[in-house]
């Protein structure tokens, strides 16, 4: 038995418990998020009651990407809650944050993708956000489509799955922002994704098609997906 391993686990648990149970000021929690270790940043994100300044928002966004997964997931969870409050929105309305949101919707952790999409859905009413974000989102989606289309789905399974995973979450985000995306760009994307070999991509395509007003070409695509061999695609 590796006693040192279990000792370290116990020590980490006790430290986390102590951090969670202690009372910290708002400033102390923000400081943990700025320069704390993994446990301190994770607990600080979970304990933070609100965001009161652009500096607070910047610190939180700095922890949404490029940090340990435990930190990123905790931050994404709190962002989902914080951005339900319209009074907090203005603190996040700048391009640097929009780029961070875009990176977070294709995180390797699906919970982070889901939380981030839920968070930014609250910013749909701000044209400065939707114009910038949706332009970058559709560009990223097109790039991923080209990558996925170049793969042989029989080979390089991990590499294929990684890019398909990103494309899946881009399409899920597009579903939320459908009415903020130019119709010709949306059509171009959907006519390509309806033919992709991975059923989860066709499923998301069918889901979007079920939400929008379709021209004749898109109606044909929708009809084809209704006859898809996969049940999850046909159900939309």
């Amino acid at each position: 038995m590796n006693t040192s391993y279990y000792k370290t686990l116990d020590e980490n648990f006790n430290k986390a418990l102590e951090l969670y149970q202690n009372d910290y000021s708002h400033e102390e929690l923000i400081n943990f998020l700025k320069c704390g270790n993994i446990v301190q940043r994770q607990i600080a994100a979970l304990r933070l009651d609100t965001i009161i300044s652009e500096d607070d928002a910047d610190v939180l966004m700095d922890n949404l990407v490029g940090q340990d997964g435990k930190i990123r997931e905790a931050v994404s969870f709190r962002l989902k809650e914080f951005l339900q409050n319209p009074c907090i929105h203005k603190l996040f309305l700048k391009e640097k944050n929009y780029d961070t949101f875009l990176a977070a919707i294709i995180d390797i952790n699906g919970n982070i993708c889901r939380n981030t999409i839920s968070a930014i859905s609250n910013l749909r009413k701000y044209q400065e956000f939707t114009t910038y974000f949706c332009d970058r989102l559709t560009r990223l989606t097109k790039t991923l489509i080209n990558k996925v289309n170049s793969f042989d789905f029989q080979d390089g399974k991990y590499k294929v799955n990684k890019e398909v995973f990103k494309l899946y979450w881009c399409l899920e985000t597009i579903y939320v922002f459908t009415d903020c995306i130019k119709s010709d760009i949306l059509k171009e994307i959907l006519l390509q994704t309806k033919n992709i070999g991975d059923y989860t991509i066709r499923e998301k395509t069918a889901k979007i098609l079920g939400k929008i007003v379709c021209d004749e070409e898109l109606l044909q695509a929708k009809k084809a997906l209704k006859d898809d061999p996969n049940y999850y695609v046909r159900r939309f």
Side-chain angles (χ1 to χ4, degrees), residues 59-112:
V59 171
L60 207 61
M61 293 299 290
D62 286 343
N63 282 277
L64 183 60
V65 295
Q67 298 290 344
D68 181 86
K70 299 183 188 70
I71 299 169
R72 301 197 315 275
E73 186 166 356
V75 168
S76 71
F77 177 74
R78 297 317 307 283
L79 277 171
K80 181 178 69 170
E81 296 183 341
F82 290 144
L83 286 176
Q84 290 177 17
N85 183 349
C87 297
I88 291 178
H89 293 174
K90 63 183 179 181
L91 303 177
F92 289 88
L93 295 176
K94 56 184 179 183
E95 289 183 3
K96 177 177 178 288
N97 292 337
Y98 307 161
D99 290 330
T100 302
F101 285 136
L102 186 64
I105 66 161
I106 55 170
D107 193 281
I108 195 171
N109 181 329
N111 290 331
I112 296 169

Side-chain angles (χ1 to χ4, degrees), residues 37-62:
N37 58 33
I38 291 173
V39 174
Q40 288 171 330
R41 288 175 189 246
Q42 181 188 21
I43 299 299
L46 294 173
R47 291 286 307 276
L48 203 61
D49 288 331
T50 190
I51 301 296
I52 60 177
S53 67
E54 279 194 21
D55 182 61
D56 289 357
D58 290 345
V59 171
L60 207 61
M61 293 299 290
D62 286 343

Side-chain angles (χ1 to χ4, degrees), residues 23-204:
D23 288 329
Y24 294 101
S25 68
H26 182 87
E27 291 73 21
E28 286 174 318
L29 293 173
I30 291 296
N31 192 54
F32 278 143
L33 282 167
K34 285 181 177 178
C35 54
N37 58 33
I38 291 173
V39 174
Q40 288 171 330
R41 288 175 189 246
Q42 181 188 21
I43 299 299
L46 294 173
R47 291 286 307 276
L48 203 61
D49 288 331
T50 190
I51 301 296
I52 60 177
S53 67
E54 279 194 21
D55 182 61
D56 289 357
D58 290 345
V59 171
L60 207 61
M61 293 299 290
D62 286 343
N63 282 277
L64 183 60
V65 295
Q67 298 290 344
D68 181 86
K70 299 183 188 70
I71 299 169
R72 301 197 315 275
E73 186 166 356
V75 168
S76 71
F77 177 74
R78 297 317 307 283
L79 277 171
K80 181 178 69 170
E81 296 183 341
F82 290 144
L83 286 176
Q84 290 177 17
N85 183 349
C87 297
I88 291 178
H89 293 174
K90 63 183 179 181
L91 303 177
F92 289 88
L93 295 176
K94 56 184 179 183
E95 289 183 3
K96 177 177 178 288
N97 292 337
Y98 307 161
D99 290 330
T100 302
F101 285 136
L102 186 64
I105 66 161
I106 55 170
D107 193 281
I108 195 171
N109 181 329
N111 290 331
I112 296 169
C113 305
R114 190 176 295 106
N115 289 338
T116 303
I117 294 169
S118 179
I120 62 176
S121 68
N122 295 290
L123 302 180
R124 292 175 69 259
K125 64 182 179 181
Y126 300 100
Q127 188 173 356
E128 64 179 282
F129 168 71
T130 56
T131 299
Y132 184 96
F133 180 81
C134 290
D135 174 66
R136 268 64 177 180
L137 171 63
T138 51
R139 283 198 224 171
L140 174 60
T141 302
K142 289 178 184 179
T143 298
L144 289 167
I145 289 170
N146 290 334
K147 285 184 179 180
V148 171
N149 279 334
S150 72
F151 291 146
D152 180 346
F153 275 77
Q154 303 303 314
D155 299 320
K157 191 171 182 181
Y158 171 74
K159 189 175 182 181
V160 171
N161 286 348
K162 186 177 178 183
E163 301 305 318
V164 167
F165 184 83
K166 292 178 183 178
L167 180 56
Y168 173 95
W169 287 109
C170 279
L171 290 173
E172 182 66 15
T173 310
I174 286 174
Y175 177 79
V176 173
F177 288 89
T178 299
D179 58 347
C180 303
I181 296 171
K182 292 179 181 178
S183 57
D184 58 330
I185 295 175
L186 182 62
K187 178 178 178 178
E188 179 188 355
I189 288 170
L190 297 176
L191 289 178
Q192 293 184 71
T193 55
K194 74 179 178 66
N195 297 317
I196 285 177
D198 188 281
Y199 84 87
T200 64
I201 302 304
R202 301 197 307 279
E203 177 190 3
K204 290 299 173 191

